[in-house]
């Protein structure tokens, strides 16, 4: 149940409410050439339970490539523009509740805000390549998954935190527990 976006597909900027979950597969682009520009050129997706239900929805982007480049041409259908990766501030996905965040195996440039959802990556076949921001309730890594989280300078300028820096970190082995 819920909404499925099957690529190749192009998302038009705007605000979307998905009831019952969200699944993305294939290659999904954002239409950077829309005229007139809607929602400041951004795609905001809010994922809620079905009407009349309190069951937490799931979000699955695990077999998708989402917002990987800014395109030239109409309706986001052209080639990548000058090697620019997609702007993660132009795709924001908000997840409600404690459902599952299935982003392992996917590649995306986005902001994913789902503080109640957990992400599980299992084994070397489970990978994640994300540019932007991930706000999750927890991340569980079993085996040897590949996890790449890239920072994009556009996040810093968008959210005006020019003095942000890492103040403390713990280097861990392959098996560790977060207190």
């Amino acid at each position: 149940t819920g909404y499925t976006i099957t690529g190749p597909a192009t998302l038009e900027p705007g605000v979307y409410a998905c009831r019952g979950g969200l699944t993305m597969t294939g290659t999904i682009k954002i239409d950077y050439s829309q005229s007139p520009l809607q929602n400041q050129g951004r795609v905001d997706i809010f994922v809620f339970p079905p009407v009349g239900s309190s069951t937490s929805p799931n979000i699955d982007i695990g077999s998708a490539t989402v917002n990987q480049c800014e395109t030239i041409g109409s309706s986001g259908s052209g080639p990548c523009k000058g090697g620019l990766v997609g702007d993660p501030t132009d795709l924001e996905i908000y997840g409600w509740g404690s459902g599952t965040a299935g982003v392992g195996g996917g590649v995306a440039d986005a902001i994913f805000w789902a503080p109640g959802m957990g992400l599980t990556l299992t084994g070397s076949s489970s990978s994640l390549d994300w540019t932007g921001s991930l706000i999750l309730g927890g991340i569980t890594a079993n085996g040897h998954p590949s996890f790449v989280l890239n920072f994009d300078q556009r996040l810093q300028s968008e959210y005006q935190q020019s003095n942000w820096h890492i103040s403390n970190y713990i280097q861990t082995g392959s098996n560790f527990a977060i207190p």
Side-chain angles (χ1 to χ4, degrees):
T1 63
Y3 292 82
T4 299
I5 303 169
T6 304
T10 301
L11 298 174
E12 296 298 324
V15 179
Y16 300 90
C18 297
R19 294 220 169 253
L22 173 66
T23 300
M24 294 182 173
T25 62
T27 300
I28 300 167
K29 298 178 181 181
I30 291 178
D31 184 357
Y32 285 101
S33 65
Q34 185 188 56
S35 182
L37 196 60
Q38 302 295 315
N39 197 40
Q40 291 88 40
R42 295 188 171 157
V43 175
D44 295 319
I45 302 173
F46 294 86
V47 183
F48 301 108
V51 174
S53 173
S54 61
T55 302
S56 293
N58 296 323
I59 299 174
D60 185 1
I61 308 173
S63 58
T65 300
V66 184
N67 191 27
Q68 280 295 281
C69 71
E70 292 187 26
T71 58
I72 299 171
S74 62
S75 300
S77 61
C80 290
K81 176 174 73 174
L84 289 176
V85 297
D87 186 341
T89 65
D90 287 341
L91 176 59
E92 298 183 20
I93 302 169
Y94 301 92
W96 181 93
S98 59
T100 301
V103 295
V107 178
D109 293 359
I111 296 170
F112 186 55
W113 189 89
M117 293 184 174
L119 166 66
T120 299
L121 299 169
T122 303
S124 60
S125 63
S126 184
S127 65
L128 174 62
D129 188 347
W130 195 276
T131 299
S133 176
L134 287 170
I135 297 94
L136 297 163
I139 299 174
T140 302
N142 300 315
H144 300 283
S146 171
F147 182 91
V148 178
L149 179 60
N150 303 295
F151 180 76
D152 189 298
Q153 293 287 346
R154 293 171 283 195
L155 289 169
Q156 182 176 350
S157 62
E158 177 71 20
Y159 296 105
Q160 301 174 357
Q161 295 294 320
S162 60
N163 61 347
W164 184 89
H165 65 279
I166 296 173
S167 61
N168 194 4
Y169 71 95
I170 299 172
Q171 186 169 344
T172 66
S174 58
N175 296 313
F176 67 96
I178 297 176

